[in-house]
Amino acid sequence: MSNQSIIASATDQAASRAALVKLLLFALTLAVLPISSYFISLTYIWEGNHIYAAITAVCAANLVLVAYIVLSLLEDKKALDETEGKKLADSKKQR
């Protein structure tokens, strides 16, 4: 194997590992945050009103999902900008 293919393989593994860690972190947050926000808001904020506590939990779940989508879009945009930058640098070298 050439050095470039080894480096590319290591980079791909690191990127997939980072994506897996991010996914697991958001999955754990999606499991814990709505349930905890339900019970905390039921006890301390809404004083026993189950409907408002459920709405709070739904809002917490939606907040986690929106945060995951925004981070994924920003990560994708960053990767696209890096790719365009490399293409631009390569085209300048060929001139």
Side-chain angles (χ1 to χ4, degrees):
M1 273 184 135
S2 69
N3 286 339
Q4 289 180 346
S5 63
I6 292 171
I7 293 171
S9 175
T11 304
D12 289 343
Q13 288 177 356
S16 64
R17 186 173 297 134
L20 181 62
V21 167
K22 183 174 81 168
L23 179 65
L24 289 175
L25 179 69
F26 273 96
L28 182 66
T29 305
L30 190 59
V32 172
L33 187 65
I35 294 170
S36 62
S37 67
Y38 174 80
F39 286 110
I40 289 171
S41 67
L42 180 67
T43 305
Y44 298 110
I45 298 173
W46 305 117
E47 299 174 358
N49 192 335
H50 295 280
I51 293 174
Y52 289 152
I55 292 171
T56 304
V58 169
C59 290
N62 284 323
L63 183 69
V64 172
L65 290 174
V66 167
Y68 181 76
I69 291 169
V70 167
L71 280 176
S72 296
L73 289 174
L74 290 175
E75 183 179 292
D76 195 35
K77 182 181 177 191
K78 181 181 173 185
L80 182 63
D81 290 343
E82 288 175 0
T83 303
E84 288 177 358
K86 287 179 183 178
K87 286 181 182 179
L88 183 62
D90 287 342
S91 66
K92 285 183 179 180
K93 285 181 184 178
Q94 291 177 356
R95 290 183 189 174

